[in-house]
Every structure is written in structure tokens, then in C-alpha cells.
Amino acid sequence: MQGLPRRLKPRVKARTHGLIVLLGLLAAGALLPRAAPGDSRITTNIALSSSELEAMTQSLPQGIRAGILASPQDFLRLVGNALDEPAIFFHLVDKRHPLAADYEPEDLVNLKAYPLSVSWGDILLRKAIMPAVLEMTGAAMKDGVGLVFSSGYRSFEYQKYVYAREVEAYGQETADLESARPGASQHQLGTAIDFGSITDAFAQTRAGRWLAAHAAEYGFSLSYPQGYEGVTGYRYESWHYRFITKPGALLQRKYFGDIQQYLLEFLDENRAVLESRRAIAGRGRTPGRRGKGLPRRRSR
């Protein structure tokens, strides 16, 4: 808040003050982006016109784009709900968007401190996602399914070791489909989890089937689905889930074909505009809550 002027003491009568407020609201309305002739404004919590939404969705697959444009008000409502969540939970990390080598979440906790089943060693996750982790684990247990946590946060240096091991074992071409290079791993965020055996067989286990059916209810999303290697850059991993919040998981499932990469790329490309248009519409929350603590991207 440094450099902001002190609030002026009110010096006007109630009627005059009300007139000033009214004039201010009228002025704010004048700032709303004007729709082009023949265009229509979407009545929603985000001030966008239909042509602007069409442009935003241009790069999405045709079927996904058609679904969004068919229900623009509902789509933008769900987008607004996702924007209410901390932006870090949607931070795009992949082969083209690496994290800085020194990025490490400040709230890492050891899963040994919780009533969870851990396959080996010390597994860390962000404390911010632990309520969702515990809720999901409890729900699975009620259904008679035990979830085993096999990997969580990985530092840049540890991922360097993991990737080098994969290259040595399988060659670089195969390793690049199996393992992320240092900086390009979602695990560095502290919000991605590997469950169970970390093998293809996990998909057919009770835990694998339960997660596929219910993980989204608790804000978790499969990062690397089958048949989308060309989109995600990695082969199918039935065991790798990332926390993207409950509103994010709902938005992904309803409008992005349940493909995490499409959702994260859309928000990465359009967040700044969506945030500004939501502020114009008067529906945004304090920007600092959403943007605080976003990691730097490593220069390429």
C-alpha cells in the first residue's frame, strides 16, 4: 500500500455524496468495452462481447469451442468461479512453460504428519491442498478404497536426477514422453500427486478406478489422459493427478472436454483480460489474493 494517498475525510452532505457516487457509477459504466456493430454483449460477471469470446476460444478444438459458444453465460460464470481461486492452482507448467530452478512452495508439509498411507520415504505437498487431500482420502475410505501416496513435491534438482535416470534407462526420446525435464514438472508446484504403483496397471486397480470416477469432486484432475500425448507432451499416466480446485475441475469437465491442458492453456493465455473485464463488471475480488506468490518462469 506504499505511495497510496490517505483517504480524504468526508466533507459533503449526504445528498451531495449520493450524487457523487451516482456520477462515479455512470462514469464506470462508460468505461465498459463497447460491442461492435452487430455484436452482442454477454450478460455475465465478466464484461465480454460474443466476438471477444469467439476470439479467445479460437485455438481450442472445434467441439470444445462450440460447447463454450453455445452457453457463454454459464461458461463465463464458471470461469469467474475459477478466477476466485488462487491463481497458483492453475499455473501452467509444461515443456514450453518451465518453472524457475529456485521455485519452491513456502508451505510444504510432510504427509507423515497426517493419517495417510505413504508408499515410501518423505512425501511433501502444499499445506494449502491438504484439506482437499484429506476429504478425498476419507471419501475413498468410506467406499472401501485405500489411496496410497507415492510421490508429491519434487525440487528442480531432484527432477534433474529423475530425468537423467530415465534417459540412461530408456534413451532421451522415450524419456521425454515418460519424464519431465527439470523445471517442466508439475511436481515442483507441490500440488501434483502420483498414486499407487506408478505403472499402467494402476488404472485397473480399485484406487485407479475410484480416482477416475471421483477425483474431480474434490478438485483433482488427471494431468495426462490417454490419447492426448500430442496435447500434453507426455504419455498416459493413470496415476498422476493435480489439484486444480473444485471450481476448476467442474469448469474442466463441463467445458474443456475434461482435458486439463486445454483449461490451463486457456487461463494462461486469457487470465489478464478476464481479470480486467471482471473488474470492469464490478465482480472481481482483490487482485492480490489471486496473483500473490505466482512462481517465476524460467527463461528459455
Side-chain angles (χ1 to χ4, degrees), residues 103-297:
Y103 175 72
E104 178 180 316
E106 297 178 352
D107 63 341
L108 291 172
V109 293
N110 195 316
L111 297 194
K112 288 182 178 178
Y114 296 85
L116 299 171
S117 178
V118 176
S119 63
W120 65 281
D122 293 320
I123 295 178
L124 309 179
L125 289 174
R126 286 197 58 192
K127 187 175 183 179
I129 76 168
M130 290 310 298
V133 167
L134 294 171
E135 182 184 16
M136 182 171 70
T137 304
M141 289 184 66
K142 288 181 180 179
D143 289 341
V145 176
L147 299 181
V148 177
F149 293 75
S150 299
S151 185
Y153 167 75
R154 296 179 195 161
S155 68
F156 183 94
E157 289 301 317
Y158 185 72
Q159 188 64 32
K160 186 185 296 185
Y161 159 75
V162 171
Y163 178 73
R165 183 184 63 190
E166 293 289 309
V167 171
E168 183 178 356
Y170 306 109
Q172 185 167 320
E173 184 176 353
T174 299
D176 281 337
L177 291 174
E178 301 263 353
S179 179
R181 298 190 180 202
S185 173
Q186 290 186 347
H187 285 285
Q188 193 177 344
L189 290 168
T191 56
I193 303 168
D194 287 343
F195 290 96
S197 60
I198 316 185
T199 66
D200 292 334
F202 178 73
Q204 299 306 317
T205 64
R206 292 189 68 197
R209 292 195 297 269
W210 191 93
L211 285 168
H214 299 289
E217 299 168 22
Y218 306 95
F220 289 88
S221 160
L222 186 71
S223 295
Y224 310 119
Q226 192 166 24
Y228 286 86
E229 290 81 359
V231 175
T232 67
Y234 299 101
R235 77 174 187 89
Y236 173 46
E237 293 189 356
S238 61
W239 59 86
H240 181 110
Y241 285 79
R242 175 180 171 179
F243 181 71
I244 60 169
T245 77
K246 291 180 181 180
L250 176 60
L251 176 62
Q252 173 186 302
R253 177 160 289 188
K254 191 168 184 180
Y255 286 107
F256 287 92
D258 210 16
I259 303 301
Q260 184 189 116
Q261 188 74 16
Y262 290 147
L263 167 67
L264 297 185
E265 287 182 355
F266 175 83
L267 292 178
D268 183 70
E269 293 170 4
N270 299 296
R271 176 177 287 274
V273 173
L274 291 168
E275 292 279 17
S276 65
R277 294 302 177 84
R278 190 166 73 144
I280 289 174
R283 304 293 181 86
R285 293 188 180 182
T286 305
R289 178 184 178 274
R290 295 187 298 274
K292 184 178 180 181
L294 283 180
R296 292 181 295 107
R297 285 212 169 109

Side-chain angles (χ1 to χ4, degrees), residues 33-77:
R34 296 184 180 279
D39 196 3
S40 60
R41 190 178 314 286
I42 303 167
T43 304
T44 182
N45 54 339
I46 299 175
L48 282 181
S49 68
S50 57
S51 63
E52 288 171 325
L53 184 59
E54 289 173 5
M56 273 189 178
T57 56
Q58 193 77 42
S59 63
L60 290 169
Q62 184 176 354
I64 290 175
R65 184 170 186 253
I68 291 172
L69 298 180
S71 303
Q73 293 186 6
D74 185 60
F75 171 71
L76 290 177
R77 177 182 65 82

